[in-house]
Amino acid sequence: MASVIHYTIATEAEKSPDFRRVLWTGKNTQLVIMTIPKGGEIGEETHEDIDQILTFVSGTGKAIISGSEKNVAQGDLVVVPAGTKHNFVNTGENPLILYTVYGPPEHADGAVHQTKEEADELEEAGKDEPPTSD
């Protein structure tokens, strides 16, 4: 029998200084917390076969989805359907902190990327691949 996997998600997200930290990876979904520093962004990207749901814990930012922009802040949730170009930009003075659910997983199980630069380097080197269901 599986045990209960429980997080006080806002607390987990707030205490992580890392750009990206994978908290949990299942067969069909993945839970990731992110901290985007002042003036930072996730970077424009498209996940062809992955849906993404982002919930904002603190800070202020801008969601850019398929060219449309929307301000985001604590308590907001943004859905990014698979195949949709998107970016999230920190527009405030404090870090923009969020958690996101990918379906299916997007990153290596247990991955921790301290900065966006580190995350980009590992992705480009093929060292941030999600687990396969082989």
Side-chain angles (χ1 to χ4, degrees), residues 88-111:
F88 294 87
V89 179
N90 183 343
T91 59
E93 293 298 313
N94 297 311
L96 179 61
I97 300 174
L98 63 104
Y99 61 93
T100 182
V101 176
Y102 294 96
E106 167 71 356
H107 300 287
D109 188 25

Side-chain angles (χ1 to χ4, degrees), residues 7-133:
Y7 297 101
T8 304
I9 194 64
T11 303
E12 289 294 322
E14 288 275 352
K15 74 182 184 183
S16 176
D18 301 309
F19 175 72
R20 180 185 299 131
R21 177 179 294 267
V22 175
L23 284 184
W24 179 83
T25 302
K27 180 179 177 182
N28 300 307
T29 57
Q30 185 173 62
L31 176 61
V32 176
I33 54 179
M34 297 186 74
T35 299
I36 304 169
K38 176 182 174 182
E41 63 181 88
I42 288 176
E44 188 175 82
E45 60 187 2
T46 303
H47 306 296
E48 291 302 329
D49 299 316
I50 297 171
D51 292 321
Q52 190 174 5
I53 299 170
L54 302 95
T55 303
F56 296 86
V57 173
S58 65
T60 56
K62 180 171 44 174
I64 307 165
I65 313 293
S66 294
S68 295
E69 297 184 9
K70 176 77 174 165
N71 290 331
V72 293
Q74 180 180 6
D76 288 342
L77 182 146
V78 176
V79 174
V80 181
T84 304
K85 187 181 291 186
H86 61 281
N87 192 7
F88 294 87
V89 179
N90 183 343
T91 59
E93 293 298 313
N94 297 311
L96 179 61
I97 300 174
L98 63 104
Y99 61 93
T100 182
V101 176
Y102 294 96
E106 167 71 356
H107 300 287
D109 188 25
V112 176
H113 305 133
Q114 293 181 336
T115 65
K116 178 177 179 359
E117 293 74 25
E118 178 186 14
D120 290 345
E121 287 173 17
L122 291 170
E123 285 179 24
E124 289 173 19
K127 296 182 179 177
D128 185 32
E129 298 299 315
T132 59
S133 54

